[in-house]
């Protein structure tokens, strides 16, 4: 499509309660919007959110980059190839690229008189997801778990704390909902020895988890490999996995069993799809996740999850936290259509 004009905007998402991890606490945030329109008046709208603690961007930088890309793109042909070249060589934040990629996807669907789901040829209207249990006091867990009792899988955020306290958190959740599947995500807050000891303790107590996600610093690929080598528990890379190159490095180090792929890290749908396929071809399990995003981010991530791994339990609970969500969550499933 040839871009005649662009419009850059923003809206605010408010959560029902704070989303607290070892990296950040979020309650309300802006979603940037990027609209493109062609000479026939057909438009496409894409969205992006900033996650400074993870992506290193900011809402102001996304806005600035969208303005400078607008100058570059108006009057030109926009294609998936053009976007992937911008994402490789332009030095832009992947979130900014995601907004442009999603605008093109939305445009392509509209120019076929379809919605994005129809355009991508996905018939499944739901996807299984975990729900996050944020960092909290142990006394708050009963209320938090009860609110989430219709989910079957919990992703538990833990912080840099004593082994005993982190384990008690887990044991309490197990008591409250014994048949829930558990995943643990310290968001880089631990080190290698702590992670290995933690997994040994879980073993001793007979607590099974689906995976331990990104326990250590995102650049410590060797450390992640050491944790994997020393435990039977599966390891997931999240903050270590932004790009195709990162997947190659993770494979080279044999650092993980799973990767968590998100539109805002990979630069939109087309890059995330290519990364997911590459990871799967090389024997990794892919989980599709999201940041705390807007409705479009959750919708497209849900579609990507259904395209890649329709029966897996992904990490797409963000819209469950919205005060005003377009989607419903029923029995641990995101219903995006
Ligand atoms: Mg994570």
């Amino acid at each position: 499509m040839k871009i005649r004009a662009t419009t850059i905007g923003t809206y605010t998402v408010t959560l029902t309660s704070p989303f607290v991890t070892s990296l950040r606490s979020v309650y309300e945030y802006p979603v940037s919007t990027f609209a493109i329109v062609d000479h026939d008046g057909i438009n496409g709208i894409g969205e992006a959110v900033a996650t400074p603690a993870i992506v290193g961007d900011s809402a102001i930088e996304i806005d600035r980059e969208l303005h400078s890309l607008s100058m570059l793109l108006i009057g030109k042909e926009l294609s998936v190839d053009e976007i992937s070249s911008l994402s490789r060589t332009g030095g832009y934040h992947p979130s900014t690229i995601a907004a442009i990629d999603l605008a093109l996807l939305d445009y392509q669907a509209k120019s076929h008189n379809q919605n994005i789901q129809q355009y991508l040829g996905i018939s499944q209207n739901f996807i299984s997801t975990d729900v996050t249990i944020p960092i909290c006091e142990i006394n708050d867990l009963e209320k938090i778990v009860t609110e989430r009792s219709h989910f079957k899988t919990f992703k538990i955020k833990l912080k840099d704390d004593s082994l005993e306290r982190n384990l008690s958190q887990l044991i309490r959740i197990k008591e409250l909902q014994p048949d829930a599947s558990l995943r643990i995500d310290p968001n880089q807050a631990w080190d290698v020895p702590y992670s290995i000891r933690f997994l040994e303790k879980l073993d001793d107590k007979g607590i099974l988890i689906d995976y331990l996600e990104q326990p250590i610093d995102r650049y410590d690929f060797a450390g992640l490999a050491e944790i994997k080598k020393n435990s039977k528990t599966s390891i997931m890379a999240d903050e270590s996995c932004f790009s195709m190159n990162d997947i190659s490095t993770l494979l080279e180090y044999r650092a993980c069993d799973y990767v968590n792929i998100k539109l805002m890290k990979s630069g939109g749908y087309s890059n995330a799809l290519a990364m997911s396929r590459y990871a799967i071809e090389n024997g990794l399990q892919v989980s599709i996740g999201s940041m705390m995003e807007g409705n479009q981010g959750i919708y497209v991530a849900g579609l990507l999850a259904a395209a890649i791994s329709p029966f897996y339990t992904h990490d797409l609970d963000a819209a469950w936290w919205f005060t005003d969500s377009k989607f419903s969550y029923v029995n641990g499933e995101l219903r995006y259509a």
Side-chain angles (χ1 to χ4, degrees):
M1 66 97 58
K2 200 174 204 171
I3 301 181
R4 182 172 63 81
T6 64
T7 313
I8 296 160
T10 184
Y11 70 93
T12 301
V13 168
T14 309
L15 306 181
T16 50
S17 61
F19 181 81
V20 187
T21 75
S22 65
L23 287 174
R24 60 193 187 128
S25 175
V26 193
Y27 184 58
E28 194 174 77
Y29 50 93
V31 179
S32 305
T33 59
F34 182 70
I36 52 178
V37 63
D38 72 4
H39 289 267
D40 298 321
I42 302 174
N43 72 22
I45 302 169
E47 295 183 357
V49 289
T51 42
I54 300 164
V55 174
D57 54 4
S58 70
I60 291 168
E61 283 176 39
I62 291 176
D63 188 70
R64 186 178 51 75
E65 290 184 349
L66 286 174
H67 276 98
S68 81
L69 278 163
S70 282
M71 306 294 283
L72 198 74
L73 295 173
I74 287 172
K76 299 225 173 83
E77 284 292 331
L78 184 63
S79 65
V80 168
D81 287 347
E82 170 74 18
I83 291 170
S84 100
S85 131
L86 281 175
S87 97
R88 279 196 313 275
T89 58
Y92 300 99
H93 290 301
S95 39
T96 305
I97 300 293
I100 296 172
D101 179 80
L102 294 172
L104 180 61
L105 181 62
D106 186 47
Y107 169 85
Q108 286 166 329
K110 283 175 181 160
S111 61
H112 286 81
N113 281 320
Q114 290 176 318
N115 63 32
I116 295 177
Q117 182 181 358
Q118 292 162 335
Y119 178 69
L120 294 174
I122 290 162
S123 53
Q124 186 171 309
N125 292 329
F126 58 89
I127 194 81
S128 178
T129 179
D130 58 29
V131 66
T132 299
I133 297 191
I135 289 176
C136 63
E137 296 301 322
I138 197 156
N139 292 334
D140 297 331
L141 278 173
E142 186 167 359
K143 175 174 177 282
I144 289 174
V145 169
T146 306
E147 284 166 358
R148 290 158 175 75
S149 58
H150 58 293
F151 285 91
K152 300 178 178 106
T153 305
F154 295 144
K155 174 175 284 194
I156 303 157
K157 297 288 187 179
L158 293 178
K159 61 181 175 180
D160 177 16
D161 205 340
S162 69
L163 261 183
E164 200 189 8
R165 279 168 59 132
N166 272 335
L167 284 164
S168 334
Q169 204 82 356
L170 208 59
I171 289 164
R172 181 71 186 126
I173 293 167
K174 237 2 217 169
E175 277 169 14
L176 289 163
Q177 197 159 321
D179 48 0
S181 299
L182 307 179
R183 295 147 174 206
I184 295 173
D185 188 2
N187 289 97
Q188 310 176 66
W190 298 352
D191 61 18
V192 173
Y194 182 99
S195 304
I196 293 173
R197 279 207 313 279
F198 180 86
L199 293 176
E200 280 168 2
K201 288 278 178 201
L202 283 192
D203 256 2
D204 291 349
K205 296 189 181 302
I207 299 176
L208 288 177
I209 60 170
D210 292 349
Y211 53 76
L212 174 64
E213 175 172 347
Q214 198 69 52
I216 60 167
D217 184 82
R218 60 186 278 203
Y219 299 110
D220 190 358
F221 293 93
L224 205 57
E226 197 182 333
I227 298 167
K228 177 170 149 57
K229 209 169 66 188
N230 279 283
S231 174
K232 293 190 295 275
T233 304
S234 296
I235 303 298
M236 174 184 278
D238 181 2
E239 291 93 322
S240 295
C241 180
F242 271 65
S243 64
M244 210 66 111
N245 277 347
D246 288 339
I247 296 181
S248 298
T249 310
L250 289 162
L251 287 166
E252 207 176 294
Y253 278 90
R254 296 177 195 271
C256 62
D257 308 279
Y258 289 72
V259 284
N260 192 345
I261 291 183
K262 300 175 180 171
L263 302 175
M264 292 301 127
K265 290 190 299 174
S266 21
Y269 183 85
S270 37
N271 282 333
L273 179 66
M275 282 173 63
S276 301
R277 287 186 173 147
Y278 178 62
I280 289 169
E281 276 161 23
N282 285 281
L284 295 173
Q285 168 72 49
V286 170
S287 170
I288 303 301
S290 79
M291 304 298 184
M292 279 298 167
E293 296 183 23
N295 280 307
Q296 187 193 45
I298 308 309
Y299 171 57
V300 177
L303 295 173
L304 174 63
I308 285 297
S309 203
F311 305 113
Y312 181 67
T313 300
H314 294 267
D315 182 23
L316 294 168
D317 59 319
W320 178 77
W321 295 69
F322 296 178
T323 46
D324 185 17
S325 173
K326 269 189 172 176
F327 312 112
S328 58
Y329 286 84
V330 183
N331 296 326
E333 285 169 0
L334 159 65
R335 306 276 167 97
Y336 51 74

